[in-house]
Amino acid sequence: LAKQYYQDRAYYRVELDRDIDNPDQRLTEDVAAFTKVSLDFFITVLTAVIDLASFSGILYSIYPNLFYAIFAYATFGSLT
């Protein structure tokens, strides 16, 4: 992103356009917001995968037939 901003003196052309005030600050805030949302999404997905794996292991160790039934039900429900 920084490479594109500095390429062919783009920063100079953006500064000349007075319709956009503080372009470097806006760019920094947008990158920070994108990073935060991406990290939150990754953590949410990782937590869900860990929960699924751990609870599946517990259920399988307690009652394997129920695990297979729930897995089949979830698979069928996802495909239809």
Side-chain angles (χ1 to χ4, degrees), residues 1-8 10-11:
L1 190 59
K3 189 177 188 179
Q4 291 176 343
Y5 183 66
Y6 291 118
Q7 184 177 346
D8 296 329
Y11 59 91

Side-chain angles (χ1 to χ4, degrees), residues 10-29:
Y11 59 91
Y12 184 71
R13 285 180 281 159
V14 170
E15 281 291 329
L16 287 178
D17 185 11
R18 290 294 171 195
D19 293 336
I20 304 172
D21 46 321
N22 299 327
D24 51 343
Q25 181 182 358
R26 290 178 180 220
L27 185 65
T28 303
E29 290 173 356

